[in-house]
Amino acid sequence: MAHAATERAEAVRAEKESDTVSVWTGSWVAERLGVALAADEKGAPGAPRLEELLGLALRRNPKRAHLLVSNVLGKHVPQHPSVVYGAGRGLGERVRELLGEADAARAVVLGYAETATGLGHTVADGLGLSPYLHSTRRAVAGVAQAGGFEESHSHATSHLLLPEDPELLTGTGPLVLVDDEFSTGNTVLNTIRALHARYPRERYVIVALADMRAPSDRARLAAFAAEIGACVDLVSLASGTVTLPDGVLEKGQELVACHEADHGAPESSAADGADGADGADGADGADGAAGRVVRIDLGWPEGLPDGGRHGFRPEHRARLETALPAMADRIAEALALGAGTAPGHAADAPGETPAGMTGPGESAAVLSGGAPGADGSGLHAPASAAPGAVRAGSGVSASDVSGAVRAGSGVSASDVSGAVLPGPAASAADGSGPALGRGTRAPASGPRGGGTPARASGPLMPTQATAPPSRSAVRRTPPRVLVLGCEELMYAPLRLGMALQERLGDGAEIRFSTTTRSPVLAVDDPGYAIRSRLVFPAHDDPADGPGDRYAYNVAGGGFDAVVAVVDSTADTPGLHAPDGLLSQLAAHAGRVGLAVVPAYQPRPHRPVHIRRTTTESAPMPVPGRPEPLRGPAFSSYPAEDVGWLLQDLSDAELEAPTEEREEAIQSGGAHYAESLPVEYQPSAQYQRLFRDALDASAARIARAVGTVTETVLAERSPRPVLVSLARAGTPVGVLMRRWAQHRHGLDLPHYAVSIVRGRGIDANALRWLARHHDPADVVFVDGWTGKGAITRELAAALAEFAESHGVSGFSPDIAVLADPGGCVRTYGTREDFLIPSACLNSTVSGLISRTVLRSDLVGPHDFHGAKFYRELAADDVSGLFTQTVAARFGEVAETVATDVKELLAADREPTWEGWAAVERISEEYGIHDVNLVKPGVGETTRVLLRRVPWKILAQRGAGDDLAHIRLLAAQRGVPVEEADGLPYSCVGLIHPRYTRGATGADGKAVTAP
């Protein structure tokens, strides 16, 4: 090992002399097999050099001997998670620029299992609006295969496509195919050929970190594109060629066999002796591992996919972003991680510098995320570099980034934490001996791989991969943590690693990599990419049966803690077995955390089958199969904003004087939904009040719209079907749809349906929804809650509908803009404030009347009805309202993100405080009918506009939110009483004396007795 130590020392000296070190990492393979890698000199200016991206290794594979090992993929080589993420996201941004915004919004990204599942996902993030799907080698019971293809050179050739929604593959937008590197292009050709035969499209984009095809392979792809008549583009970080001498496959296999025969360790458990970072000598093996493995409850959001196996949409990304900080907190707390503290290490005696540590002013030969080069040094920062510094002349931006990256490389530097050098991550140390076989021993000497940039002074930093001194003699150091994913599960661990780095800040060194199915020879040589490996049995019950799995460059990495992230399918007894992954990791780290992500269970994507009950022997006919009414033929909203599941009764005479309606309603002679009030025509003063209120509250409403929409996307459905309760809910549904479009590029369906107190929701509208959408995706939307009567009405109606029609899945949970009554879980705010759309009737709701349900107009198979008041077009402010609020979306976005994070963590169970207050008021004022008590600003406004009001109760000290209430009350001669202890800003009381004698000749309410 003296030779390796000399190489390391020379590398350190060279690093001091020059701040630009460029080394080729494939010398061991190249020298023995004659494999030559040549970079394409025509690469883009500023792009990373090929030697920075790739190393060479050998693998046991009957079809291909060599393996190109990526230093920025996060598979075989532990790397800064921000660098891994930045590489993929930057490629996605380049694809978006290539396609243009319109086509990028129509694109679907497809990644290859297992190696590129995380890369493909980050590329989709870079495109921004594209859904993501990756191929899989794991068959999932109950999920139909939508396609597949073969990867001829792979160790596991068959790829399955199992999207939850087959429409991910049936669209006509561009298909973006992502793999880590292209050697021949055969896999891409096979994929496009298979998919194009079933789902032809006009454009494909191929994305890779490195394009290593020979000229003949590139010509073959161009000919294939011409053959199918499609445009095929390719985007990569770097390109070059691999030259393979004759007989390389046989020579490679012979070399692997010889090396394993000469150096291989016994195929045994971790107990056979690997020096752990906690000072264990390996004697306790698996028994000792149990005490060092901590199960971490991530609090993974319910229903959020664990990755792209069944599809991952932008709305899923929004939910994940919201949840990541809390999950990082749980990891840090479970493993007792904190800035400047490594788990299990204690302070040493004053003035001591323990063995294997560097003191202030000493040069630490730690890697800055760089893979070992020919000299074993990796890519270093200068010894004088400050924290977060980057190499001069490298083109790396150091401005507030979490992984400084080479300019022009396509690596995004946005929203990441802690500047680092670009290039390969640290692998194992260059120490004492072979790193082969199951339970391989960590090197006994040599620098610790993959540390932070060396500093001239500051905290002590470990430089050895051997066990540290006793706990009483070790100074506290920044924790070095590996987040280790599991085969295809790459993206979730990657994002957890980024969140953990942000949580711990510069006081921690976070690396990311994953386990793999691919058998690769490990050689402890500074010119070789795979320095060590752990071998353990498969623990996810794979379809192809039992077999070994591998974790590379973990042993000897000097990790204080490892967070193993698996999905629930892989959380089996095999994972916890004496020779399992956790025991292997426990032998090489001070502590191991196990974080289990629930394996996503996709819903069968098929039309809803309506189960018939014994009382319904045949389907209920829907004459003419009615479609939603849309503007401009019905309503002043644009056609895409809302489809009305109503019938047009514009030609019917339905209006009646307010006092006549009130008498008929309260006497039981008619239902309020059988007629319409005469539309209130606002005075010029009232119209000015509406506009002033809109200007004053637009941002407040935008904030509530954003909050309720993000909550729906996070908890209720990743792609909801908005169904507003006409008509008060419809402006809110329009705004929620526009928020989803503005923030996430989602084009959500939105319909308006009728619900009538005492009569329930329109059953025919529900049947239509069930035929066209999954009921589980339907989210009912209303403007606000009063006492919660409609909330209860909806729950009862849906239960009855499920019983009588055999269709289940509709959720009774309403999403509202404001919930002052404490009646729902999904809301924008629980404050009772003026929502300007409550100030008016049809002129702020698309010129649509309230809904009508009358037996002579609405047959058993008809939708409920409504009128379109075209004659009021001159007074219509529907567009003004939605446009004014939507214009404030941008300025409230950050506040909404904070609100949603707090809201998702809060107790939002309904309190029904409003209902209790209404019952109390009803008795206090001798009304004895809760239906005549209308709480909240919105309901009180309706009382003044449509009913015969008796009096208004106003919260003492209420201000501008009640200006329009006071104006309307004055116009109708209704007293306004100030009250204390109201849970609402105001409450409207309908006159309990329902005869026409209760009103004067002018229609105003008489003074109450």
PDB file of all heavy atoms in Angstrom, residues 234 426 672:
ATOM      1  N   LEU A 234     -31.413  14.599 -29.944  1.00  0.00           N
ATOM      2  CA  LEU A 234     -30.648  14.047 -28.834  1.00  0.00           C
ATOM      3  C   LEU A 234     -29.987  15.175 -28.065  1.00  0.00           C
ATOM      4  O   LEU A 234     -29.401  16.087 -28.656  1.00  0.00           O
ATOM      5  CB  LEU A 234     -29.600  13.050 -29.323  1.00  0.00           C
ATOM      6  CG  LEU A 234     -28.967  12.207 -28.205  1.00  0.00           C
ATOM      7  CD1 LEU A 234     -28.764  10.773 -28.642  1.00  0.00           C
ATOM      8  CD2 LEU A 234     -27.636  12.812 -27.745  1.00  0.00           C
ATOM      9  N   ALA A 426     -17.168  10.908  -4.283  1.00  0.00           N
ATOM     10  CA  ALA A 426     -16.140  10.095  -3.672  1.00  0.00           C
ATOM     11  C   ALA A 426     -16.504   8.643  -3.705  1.00  0.00           C
ATOM     12  O   ALA A 426     -17.614   8.274  -3.482  1.00  0.00           O
ATOM     13  CB  ALA A 426     -15.968  10.532  -2.240  1.00  0.00           C
ATOM     14  N   TYR A 672     -88.169  26.685  -2.020  1.00  0.00           N
ATOM     15  CA  TYR A 672     -87.459  27.852  -2.541  1.00  0.00           C
ATOM     16  C   TYR A 672     -86.859  27.602  -3.923  1.00  0.00           C
ATOM     17  O   TYR A 672     -86.655  28.530  -4.703  1.00  0.00           O
ATOM     18  CB  TYR A 672     -86.364  28.301  -1.566  1.00  0.00           C
ATOM     19  CG  TYR A 672     -85.105  27.442  -1.556  1.00  0.00           C
ATOM     20  CD1 TYR A 672     -84.052  27.739  -2.406  1.00  0.00           C
ATOM     21  CD2 TYR A 672     -84.964  26.364  -0.689  1.00  0.00           C
ATOM     22  CE1 TYR A 672     -82.899  26.967  -2.411  1.00  0.00           C
ATOM     23  CE2 TYR A 672     -83.819  25.601  -0.682  1.00  0.00           C
ATOM     24  CZ  TYR A 672     -82.781  25.902  -1.535  1.00  0.00           C
ATOM     25  OH  TYR A 672     -81.645  25.137  -1.532  1.00  0.00           O
TER      26      TYR A 672
END
